[in-house]
Amino acid sequence: MDVCFSPEMVTAHSLKHKTVVVADILRASSSITSGIQGGVPAIRPVEHIHRRHYWQDRGYLLGGERGGVMVDGFDLGNAPLDYLKAGAKKQKIIMTTTNGTRAIQVSKHAGQLLVGSFLNLEAIAEYLLKDRPPLLVVCSGWKGTPSLEDSLFAGALLDRLGTEYDAPLSDGARLAITNYRYHKEHLSQTVRNSSHGQRLLGMQREEDIEYCLQQSIYPVVPILKGEEIVALGS
Amino acid sequence: MDVCFSPEMVTAHSLKHKTVVVADILRASSSITSGIQGGVPAIRPVEHIHRRHYWQDRGYLLGGERGGVMVDGFDLGNAPLDYLKAGAKKQKIIMTTTNGTRAIQVSKHAGQLLVGSFLNLEAIAEYLLKDRPPLLVVCSGWKGTPSLEDSLFAGALLDRLGTEYDAPLSDGARLAITNYRYHKEHLSQTVRNSSHGQRLLGMQREEDIEYCLQQSIYPVVPILKGEEIVALGS
């Protein structure tokens, strides 16, 4: 079991026979989890959205942010609750975010790619425990550096899988688990004090932080199928 | 205060006005600390040693390893005690190691570059506290992934600098400090269980692990001057 703290470090890992869980807790992977849970049929993560009309003509909603702010003319930003609500429209979403979609792009040649968040931690864990495949958690981080909230999720997931998984731990995995165990009784305060937490508080997005730290409230397992993320089994 | 967990991630940081402390606890930065402490006038870190005779003709000893093993025909491997003893010869050393010299090479455009280890932790800390420059600890890691022992050193150093330094902590710095605090009462056992600890134990280098974890026994501050590492003030 291994953890990669930023997309820039993925090249140090072989992905071919691995299951990758991508995490961008604040907020892309929480938004994707919420969207798929809410009924969005598919989310297409891209680094940039060129040709907006092309996608709109095909029934896609446009979602995403740059520097934490919704892109002008888009239907959705990166607030997870908006993705949950968007499910009612039953339209696909094409989505771009600063770090989260990049983590998905660099990991897409993995054996399988799941999208994880605190919201669906238990669902991801139970799915992994069925076959216990070689596992790599890819954290989105922030512009090439580690993010506390993503590594807390990685640690929480590996701590949950624990000895049941029966796989050796890399040093990166040990770092993440230790960090989670140290902070688990005061997760909300720790994430508020993190770089990204501070940025979101400055943008009046406190509700997003609290929402994203709710643990295992959704049973959905989002999985990459071709170029789009769908609900497992759909 | 910031921590970079592997040389591959240095590009995410601006180095220009920073003081970088390079750490490769097992074993390059412990060897360099020991050599400079022992009286080696200068150590030249290089990724590869081409033209061995060129350097030997100029009075250099050849040092280094590949995959943890001394290179055929070299004077020194990567056992820190050998570097300490080599000081008596008063010859410069040209040195190549798998990860440690790479961390120095990628960081050499920093404002200043120091070489840190547990052996000289207090000396490094006292030097930094004089001017409290913007600080980045660059961990050597292992082939692009984080190493537990390097991040433990980073955490120990930042924990020592603490509130006296009066500088904000990046998420990476928080990860390292948390990891150190969690493990500090049982450092030796933690490092023995780490990937690199296990490799060294398999190579019968247990004495190196114990030696490298001795804290603040040397007062030397190795600093990069041009292409070579020398004692600060020499």
Side-chain angles (χ1 to χ4, degrees), chain B residues 7-8 10 15 47 101-109 138:
Chain B
E8 283 66 20
V10 164
L15 298 179
E47 291 206 44
T101 48
R102 176 156 166 69
I104 295 171
Q105 288 301 327
V106 300
S107 309
K108 69 182 186 184
H109 298 299
V138 174

Side-chain angles (χ1 to χ4, degrees), chain B residues 22-43:
Chain B
V22 170
D24 183 9
I25 297 308
L26 297 176
R27 297 165 289 171
S29 74
S30 300
S31 293
I32 292 170
T33 303
S34 300
I36 299 295
Q37 173 67 31
V40 175
I43 297 177

